[in-house]
Amino acid sequence: MGAKKYCDFRVIPQHDFEMDNAFIVGKMMELVHLSLHHFPCRVCVSFPDSQGSDIGGIVRLHGSEDELKLVLGGGVEDGLEDYFSFSGILGVPSDIKGYRNVRRVQPKSSPARIRRRLVRRHNISEEEAIRRWPDSRRQMLDLPFFLINSRSTGQSNIRFFVEHSDFRPEQTDGHVSSYGLSREMTVPVW
C-alpha cells in the first residue's frame, strides 16, 4: 500500500483567454481517465496547487513506478506537450505534511433534472415536483473544478468538482475511480 512515486504535470501559462487552468487540467484529466480505464491500476490524482474554486496548475499522479509508467504509456502526455511541463517520475519526499484523499463531489445543481426524477420515481405531478424542489434549492459549490467532455453522453464542459480532505496522520487504502480519485485511499501531501 502507498504511493512511493509521483509525477507532476505543470500547466504552462497560455495567453488564450479560453484556456484557463480548468480547461487545460480538464484535457489532461480526460487522458488520465482514458488511460486508467484501459489500464486499471491504483494511480491516484491530486491537485496540490488548488485554491478556492481554482483547480490550480499542477496535476500530480501518485502510484508505484510500474503503475505510473503504465498510465503514462497509455497516452497521458500525447498532444499536451505545449500545455504542460512534465517532472518525470520522482520519489515522494520524506518530509510530508500528512495524507489526504481527493474525491469527486457532485452538486445537486440542476433542479429541472431533480424534478424530472421526482416525477418519474414518485409518480407525482410536475407542479408538486416544483413545490418540493424549487429553483432556489440549486446547490453551488466553492470547490476546485476542471472541465471535461463526456464521450459517452456527448456533453461538453462539465464541471468536475473535487475536494481534498483534511490532513490525516496515516495512509489509508481503498477503491480508486477511473479518474484517479478516491473517498478511501489517501495520498501523501508535502
Side-chain angles (χ1 to χ4, degrees):
M1 176 177 79
K4 302 291 184 206
K5 301 287 184 176
Y6 78 98
C7 59
D8 281 347
F9 289 89
R10 292 183 179 268
V11 171
I12 298 169
Q14 304 295 310
H15 299 293
D16 186 347
F17 178 71
E18 297 293 319
M19 297 183 71
D20 61 1
N21 287 343
F23 179 83
I24 297 170
V25 167
K27 293 303 169 200
M28 169 64 73
M29 288 303 297
E30 287 176 16
L31 294 174
V32 167
H33 172 61
L34 280 176
S35 188
L36 288 174
H37 179 74
H38 291 298
F39 306 107
C41 60
R42 298 170 55 72
V43 167
C44 287
V45 179
S46 68
F47 308 94
D49 203 23
S50 65
Q51 293 182 353
S53 62
D54 181 10
I55 197 70
I58 301 172
V59 177
R60 180 169 289 159
L61 305 182
H62 304 262
S64 70
E65 187 162 357
D66 289 341
E67 290 170 326
L68 290 171
K69 285 180 179 178
L70 183 65
V71 170
L72 294 171
V76 168
E77 298 176 85
D78 294 349
L80 294 176
E81 302 86 10
D82 293 340
Y83 305 102
F84 287 94
S85 62
F86 175 59
S87 69
I89 297 175
L90 304 167
V92 171
S94 58
D95 59 335
I96 64 170
K97 295 177 185 175
Y99 299 91
R100 289 179 149 171
N101 40 3
V102 183
R103 65 183 185 102
R104 181 178 186 184
V105 176
Q106 292 180 277
K108 295 178 180 170
S109 60
S110 175
R113 180 178 46 79
I114 293 167
R115 288 191 293 259
R116 283 192 303 272
R117 189 178 325 136
L118 283 171
V119 168
R120 190 174 55 247
R121 290 186 180 171
H122 299 286
N123 197 26
I124 62 173
S125 69
E126 286 185 40
E127 292 78 19
E128 177 63 14
I130 290 169
R131 189 187 67 70
R132 288 186 188 181
W133 204 275
D135 287 343
S136 62
R137 287 190 68 183
R138 177 182 303 269
Q139 182 183 20
M140 301 304 284
L141 299 176
D142 186 29
L143 291 173
F145 67 91
F146 53 86
L147 300 171
I148 60 167
N149 297 325
S150 171
R151 292 180 183 215
S152 59
T153 66
Q155 288 180 287
S156 61
N157 292 328
I158 301 166
R159 286 186 181 208
F160 198 104
F161 291 93
V162 296
E163 180 177 61
H164 292 77
S165 72
D166 292 333
F167 287 108
R168 298 175 182 192
E170 296 179 7
Q171 186 150 26
T172 57
D173 201 3
H175 172 77
V176 178
S177 77
S178 62
Y179 282 96
L181 303 173
S182 178
R183 293 179 175 276
E184 302 143 4
M185 190 166 176
T186 56
V187 296
V189 179
W190 56 94

